[in-house]
Amino acid sequence: MKQTTRYRLCALGFAVICLGAVLFLHTFTIPTEPVQYISFSSVTQVAADGSETPCSLDEYGGVTGMEDGAVYRFRATVEDLPAEGYLLLETAGAAFTIRMDGETVLQSTGTASYGMETMGTGQVHVPFPPGAARCALEIDYQVLDPDNALSPPL
């Protein structure tokens, strides 16, 4: 009888520890802010002379046949901006320029980092214009490292 009681107490203790771990880890999976993904209205390839050639998008919003080193211009209008919203982009393996409402707000070149702590990605947070309800977004994007760059820029 003692061994059966001990077995049941251990099983119950294990179940309580597992439940506590799940409840603790669950708090990290709930977003505290709403996430809005950008749907780009147009994408063009920009030539050296500044001329633009329209590109086709696949079902995930990526450019089909994206060439390394070529510059692509992604355009979108972001509606219903939160009061303190920001644009979050993965930056590894690409060079880009971000314009909001025609004004350049960021230029960056992100080379890949192969350390385990970053897993080849870097991020940048760019706040949307304060008090704006909508924003015209334009991103000039150039793939530098096709193994680590994300397309479309997220």
Side-chain angles (χ1 to χ4, degrees):
M1 187 75 149
K2 271 185 162 183
Q3 193 162 356
T4 304
T5 303
R6 180 185 291 163
Y7 173 76
R8 288 183 179 167
L9 285 175
C10 287
L12 180 64
F14 179 73
V16 168
I17 290 171
C18 287
L19 180 63
V22 167
L23 290 175
F24 173 73
L25 294 174
H26 180 67
T27 61
F28 297 106
T29 63
I30 300 172
T32 56
E33 302 171 4
V35 176
Q36 178 181 353
Y37 289 96
I38 297 171
S39 177
F40 293 103
S41 57
S42 72
V43 179
T44 57
Q45 184 174 7
V46 182
D49 64 359
S51 63
E52 297 183 29
T53 305
C55 297
S56 60
L57 300 174
D58 61 18
E59 64 270 16
Y60 302 108
V63 178
T64 55
M66 196 172 223
E67 301 170 13
D68 297 346
V71 177
Y72 294 88
R73 184 164 291 150
F74 292 82
R75 290 185 179 93
T77 299
V78 184
E79 305 278 345
D80 302 324
L81 295 175
E84 296 180 10
Y86 58 88
L87 181 65
L88 172 65
L89 292 173
E90 300 290 336
T91 62
F96 57 90
T97 301
I98 300 172
R99 285 180 289 284
M100 292 183 182
D101 295 327
E103 180 181 338
T104 299
V105 294
L106 180 72
Q107 289 183 319
S108 175
T109 300
T111 56
S113 171
Y114 294 100
M116 287 302 291
E117 61 278 353
T118 60
M119 295 301 289
T121 63
Q123 292 183 339
V124 63
H125 296 232
V126 181
F128 285 115
R134 62 189 297 269
C135 175
L137 178 66
E138 191 173 274
I139 301 173
D140 287 351
Y141 188 82
Q142 180 181 21
V143 176
L144 301 177
D145 180 3
D147 293 332
N148 289 293
L150 290 177
S151 171
L154 298 174

